[in-house]
Amino acid sequence: LDEDDKACLQNGSMQIPSNDRAGRPILLYLPGLRAFKTLQSELRTRYYSFMSAVAKSQAQRSGVIFITYAVGSLSDSMNGAGFKETATLAMAVPLHWAGVHFCSDDFKQYILTKTTVAITPAKIRARFKNHFGSHLECQYLLSSYGIPQSTLPFSSFDNQVRLDNHLLWYQRCHWEETTAAAARMTMANNNDNNNNDMLSLEDASAATLEPLANDVLFGRKRNNHEGNKMLRLLVESRSKDYDTASKSRKRDMTAQVVTDIQETGGRFLKEVEDETGTWEAVPVDEALEKIAQAFRNIRRPKMKQLMMKEQENGNTSNKPPLEIIDYPAPDDVLFGKQRNHNGNMKMRLLVKNLADEYDTATKLGKKELASSVIRNIKEQGGRFLKQRDDDRWEEVTEAFARIKISKQFCNNRRYQRKEGVF
């Protein structure tokens, strides 16, 4: 890829965000992010994304899921330019398209797509699903096909595209290719040097355990090794999914990291404790344990930052009230018996929309969701108030509001169970 191709790849119009519940890779196409100098650059980057999905073993066994997401600002601003070429390319690559989803809030586009799918052969038509509606409606429809909202790179409220995981994927691909090229050059030079100097079997076995660029080295002060940098990128790009995964899924994710390192020619090595400077291979079980620890270490700084914010906010008993109010505004959230206030109803609606994500989130994730509700209310001009003894109102701290909102999430779950929702 040239520089224009790389810039096109980084814009995020084509992503591989995660897998669906069946473990199949998801190819996500966001037409609203298209940006390229020439159509050839875009086709080259799409071919690169397609072949990256082909490289996944699960894609070879079960196929991939393709999603075109053209809702709101993500609608195609180029009026479908290059559609024919992209369709031809998609049919040419050795991929099994297990499912194709088209999401749109444009009714004309929805009818056009539905008509086009209706005239295709029945075997192909069965794999196409057409969804019409808002962001929330389309994401709920996708979740019914085993594609959770948490796998899609959208923020909870404004549905802006998050590119952090995509850029980590880009860095990982760039690292793999550059280090693999360097490793091939090193091996070629070693072979040339050894043509006239035959090694004994003992020396040859020792030489195979000399650390290469793609190897992961366990021990202190090894973080700057290229293989260790690659391991950190893999762990960081999957940490969000790891935090919400079950125990069996976490074991699968750590095993996949081992597989990804090995597929680049990397090994897991540790230095022999005899001060000779030699290295030995690490057993797979030990490598899995180290990788699981790396996932947990990613979570610790987040928890520490959250605790520091809590300390800055302080608790309600030690911190004076932020503001005294005579009459609450309509968008304010009132803690107490005023359940039918307009701001309270908005808060309950936000909690209801995030309930499924809250139930599967970690402790850190639950706190972040409660904080996102607070931000949304404040962005609409609302405050969080409680009544004083003199019938006036005082604004509470963010920590106090977060506790109350977390309780609202729990009450929502209890109400759903009582009503027999699940």
Side-chain angles (χ1 to χ4, degrees):
L1 301 180
D2 58 26
E3 293 303 319
D4 293 339
D5 299 338
K6 292 177 182 178
C8 184
L9 184 61
Q10 290 183 74
N11 66 30
S13 61
M14 184 75 73
Q15 302 185 26
I16 310 177
S18 186
N19 301 334
D20 68 353
R21 293 196 184 278
R24 297 170 297 195
I26 297 173
L27 266 170
L28 178 63
Y29 173 47
L30 303 172
L33 298 184
R34 296 178 68 188
F36 53 87
K37 286 190 175 181
T38 63
L39 181 59
Q40 183 181 10
S41 291
E42 185 178 55
L43 291 174
R44 284 163 61 87
T45 57
R46 287 181 180 176
Y47 176 77
Y48 184 91
S49 299
F50 290 159
M51 297 308 293
S52 297
V54 171
K56 295 179 178 292
S57 57
Q58 188 64 30
Q60 298 173 24
R61 290 194 297 267
S62 306
V64 300
I65 302 298
F66 186 82
I67 303 173
T68 297
Y69 196 91
V71 181
S73 62
L74 297 176
S75 300
D76 191 357
S77 59
M78 300 185 183
N79 298 320
F83 173 78
K84 182 179 178 181
E85 292 82 354
T86 301
T88 304
L89 176 63
M91 297 303 294
V93 294
L95 268 176
H96 169 60
W97 303 101
V100 179
H101 298 265
F102 181 82
C103 303
S104 176
D105 60 350
D106 185 345
F107 188 71
K108 292 182 180 179
Q109 187 67 45
Y110 169 76
I111 294 298
L112 177 62
T113 306
K114 193 172 183 178
T115 304
T116 304
V117 172
I119 63 176
T120 59
K123 187 176 181 181
I124 299 177
R125 186 167 63 244
R127 301 176 190 170
F128 280 80
K129 302 298 176 184
N130 208 11
H131 310 299
F132 174 75
S134 64
H135 284 287
L136 186 62
E137 291 169 331
C138 287
Q139 290 172 28
Y140 276 157
L141 288 169
L142 290 174
S143 66
S144 67
Y145 289 93
I147 305 170
Q149 290 177 282
S150 58
T151 64
L152 302 176
F154 303 126
S155 58
S156 300
F157 290 107
D158 53 9
N159 287 292
Q160 294 296 316
V161 180
R162 299 193 304 264
L163 294 178
D164 45 355
N165 286 339
H166 175 69
L167 294 177
L168 282 172
W169 171 82
Y170 174 86
Q171 293 174 14
R172 176 165 63 87
C173 293
H174 186 269
W175 181 91
E176 286 178 354
E177 294 172 14
T178 53
T179 53
R184 286 194 297 269
M185 185 176 296
T186 301
M187 292 177 66
N189 292 336
N190 289 340
N191 290 336
D192 292 340
N193 294 335
N194 291 336
N195 283 337
N196 299 324
D197 185 14
M198 299 299 294
L199 295 173
S200 65
L201 290 177
E202 182 178 358
D203 292 338
S205 62
T208 59
L209 291 183
E210 282 295 321
L212 299 176
N214 290 10
D215 293 337
V216 176
L217 308 182
F218 293 136
R220 297 182 177 180
K221 298 181 181 180
R222 305 293 180 187
N223 291 335
N224 292 328
H225 189 73
E226 292 299 324
N228 293 60
K229 293 180 181 178
M230 180 62 207
L231 177 62
R232 284 200 301 276
L233 280 174
L234 288 171
V235 170
E236 288 173 1
S237 63
R238 303 171 187 180
S239 61
K240 184 177 180 180
D241 292 337
Y242 186 89
D243 289 342
T244 60
S246 61
K247 288 186 179 180
S248 60
R249 175 63 180 152
K250 287 179 178 179
R251 287 194 293 268
D252 293 340
M253 292 181 70
T254 53
Q256 185 60 46
V257 172
V258 172
T259 302
D260 290 345
I261 292 293
Q262 291 174 343
E263 286 178 351
T264 64
R267 302 164 296 176
F268 296 89
L269 307 178
K270 65 178 180 180
E271 198 167 6
V272 179
E273 298 179 358
D274 57 4
E275 298 183 358
T276 61
T278 57
W279 296 82
E280 63 180 2
V282 173
V284 175
D285 291 343
E286 185 176 344
L288 291 172
E289 184 179 348
K290 292 283 189 181
I291 293 170
Q293 183 63 46
F295 274 113
R296 292 192 291 271
N297 289 342
I298 290 291
R299 191 189 310 157
R300 287 178 179 175
K302 296 179 182 177
M303 293 297 295
K304 187 175 181 181
Q305 291 175 7
L306 193 60
M307 291 176 63
M308 291 177 64
K309 287 182 179 179
E310 291 288 346
Q311 291 176 359
E312 291 176 0
N313 291 334
N315 55 43
T316 56
S317 60
N318 297 330
K319 192 169 182 177
L322 300 177
E323 187 179 355
I324 305 298
I325 296 99
D326 292 325
Y327 302 102
D331 291 327
D332 291 339
V333 175
L334 309 181
F335 295 125
K337 298 180 180 180
Q338 288 75 15
R339 302 284 294 172
N340 295 324
H341 193 70
N342 185 54
N344 292 61
M345 290 189 284
K346 286 184 178 180
M347 181 191 71
R348 287 199 294 272
L349 181 60
L350 291 171
V351 168
K352 185 178 179 180
N353 292 338
L354 293 171
D356 292 339
E357 187 175 353
Y358 186 87
D359 289 340
T360 59
T362 60
K363 288 184 178 179
L364 176 62
K366 289 178 179 179
K367 287 186 177 180
E368 291 177 347
L369 286 171
S371 298
S372 65
V373 173
I374 295 174
R375 287 195 300 270
N376 188 274
I377 293 292
K378 289 186 175 181
E379 286 172 0
Q380 299 180 31
R383 298 164 295 185
F384 294 87
L385 311 177
K386 70 174 182 179
Q387 199 164 22
R388 293 158 47 96
D389 294 336
D390 57 2
D391 293 333
R392 299 172 72 193
W393 298 85
E394 66 182 15
E395 187 175 359
V396 301
T397 63
E398 187 171 329
F400 182 88
R402 190 183 300 112
I403 292 171
K404 290 291 187 180
I405 292 171
S406 298
K407 189 174 181 179
Q408 182 66 37
F409 274 111
C410 297
N411 291 341
N412 182 75
R413 185 193 311 148
R414 192 179 302 115
Y415 173 77
Q416 287 183 326
R417 286 174 178 166
K418 185 177 179 181
E419 294 294 320
V421 176
F422 54 84

